[in-house]
Amino acid sequence: MTLPKMLRDAKILAQQELAPRVFFLVVEAPDIAQAAEPGQFVQLRIPLGEFILRRPVGVAAVDRKKGSVAFIYRVVGKGTKALAALMPGEVVNILGPLGHGFHMDYEHPLIVGGGMGLSPLLYYAAAMQKKGDVLIGGRSEEEVFWKDLFDELCGEVFISTDDGSLGFKGFTTEYLPKILEDHKYDAIIVCGPDVMMRGIARIAREHGIPCEVSLEKRMACGLGACLSCSIDTTEGKRKKVCKDGPVFSAEEVFL
């Protein structure tokens, strides 16, 4: 199915710093809010400075009644620093929604995320209407501020931190087998660092649980034309993360 893509100027409704260098951006984009599906992303054009390429950002939330779309992003360079400087009332240009998202027909999935990979998972959790549980990983308590965002969206919220400052002490890959001893899931949905996704996908395979991964790659166009996000698949075919993904079956891709 070909999904609609729109190019729109969107007014900024809110810009909030959730944690050091992590921002929550809300824009007014009614038609994109109506069309966006969990797991999809948009390409943002930053109006300030000489930023030629758009920035890919996963959809973190939508409010179809208000016609708003929200994104969570981390300031990592000049482009995202300029984006964070924008104020309510200013405008960003949006291309989207792009790509293919998560399957929505699971009855009880486990959502697993780390770092900024949790951003698109937030929209998925909201769309599942508390059917799913979530495992949030981070280096320390400061990095798992996501807990407050997922609390109202999921059944159970599991936390792991590398230093043990909150929840289970260790990596998500160490905590997951313990969770699976006491809980049954019909899918695992994961987004985050490649090393984490690789480990989670392996554990899911060992337990016979379908696993979907959302890949993050550098993108220039977001439309499949520039080939900058091309990847090899286990079938021996080349696919584009922006157009064929960003969500893939874990069995389909090399992590």
Side-chain angles (χ1 to χ4, degrees):
M1 180 178 68
T2 301
L3 299 173
K5 303 177 185 66
M6 289 159 274
L7 188 63
R8 297 287 186 270
D9 284 333
K11 183 174 70 174
I12 294 175
L13 300 177
Q15 175 98 276
Q16 175 188 0
E17 190 169 12
L18 297 176
R21 299 184 299 114
V22 178
F23 287 81
F24 183 75
L25 173 68
V26 184
V27 302
E28 185 178 44
D31 44 6
I32 292 178
Q34 289 295 327
E37 299 177 356
Q40 288 189 293
F41 68 100
V42 303
Q43 293 274 81
L44 294 179
R45 183 173 64 79
I46 301 166
L48 303 176
E50 298 180 1
F51 302 108
I52 298 174
L53 297 179
R54 294 174 179 268
R55 267 59 177 180
V57 185
V59 177
V62 302
D63 188 322
R64 292 194 167 106
K65 290 184 179 179
K66 294 181 179 179
S68 64
V69 185
F71 314 98
I72 301 176
Y73 65 95
R74 186 188 300 275
V75 174
V76 294
K78 293 181 179 180
T80 45
K81 183 178 180 180
L83 182 62
L86 297 176
M87 302 295 291
E90 295 187 274
V91 171
V92 292
N93 187 264
I94 300 179
L95 172 65
L98 301 170
H100 294 273
F102 302 106
H103 286 92
M104 302 301 299
D105 54 355
Y106 301 119
E107 291 298 323
H108 188 40
L110 177 66
I111 302 162
V112 183
M116 296 311 297
L118 285 153
S119 179
L121 297 176
L122 196 66
Y123 182 21
Y124 176 76
M128 291 302 290
Q129 300 180 339
K130 283 204 167 186
K131 286 183 179 180
D133 297 342
V134 63
L135 169 56
I136 298 170
R139 285 178 291 187
S140 65
E141 182 176 1
E142 183 183 56
E143 288 197 358
V144 292
F145 63 88
W146 299 92
K147 178 182 183 299
D148 294 337
L149 301 176
F150 279 92
D151 265 340
E152 298 299 317
L153 304 177
C154 294
E156 292 194 58
V157 178
F158 305 100
I159 303 290
S160 71
T161 51
D162 298 357
D163 63 3
S165 53
L166 186 65
F168 175 84
K169 183 178 181 179
F171 303 133
T172 54
T173 49
E174 296 173 301
Y175 195 12
L176 179 58
K178 300 178 184 298
I179 295 172
L180 295 180
E181 288 177 3
D182 301 319
H183 299 76
K184 291 186 177 181
Y185 299 101
D186 58 351
I188 296 178
I189 308 295
V190 58
C191 185
D194 285 350
V195 64
M196 184 200 77
M197 292 199 293
R198 184 162 54 247
I200 297 297
R202 174 183 54 78
I203 295 168
R205 183 169 57 252
E206 291 171 352
H207 286 76
I209 305 172
C211 181
E212 293 186 12
V213 296
S214 179
L215 303 186
E216 298 177 349
K217 295 290 182 182
R218 290 186 178 274
M219 300 176 188
C221 71
L223 299 171
C226 70
L227 306 181
S228 65
C229 65
S230 294
I231 59 170
D232 291 315
T233 66
T234 54
E235 296 177 343
K237 298 179 181 178
R238 295 281 287 173
K239 290 194 175 182
K240 291 161 280 191
V241 171
C242 69
K243 189 174 181 180
D244 301 311
V247 177
F248 295 90
S249 164
E251 300 300 315
E252 185 182 359
V253 294
F254 296 104
L255 294 170

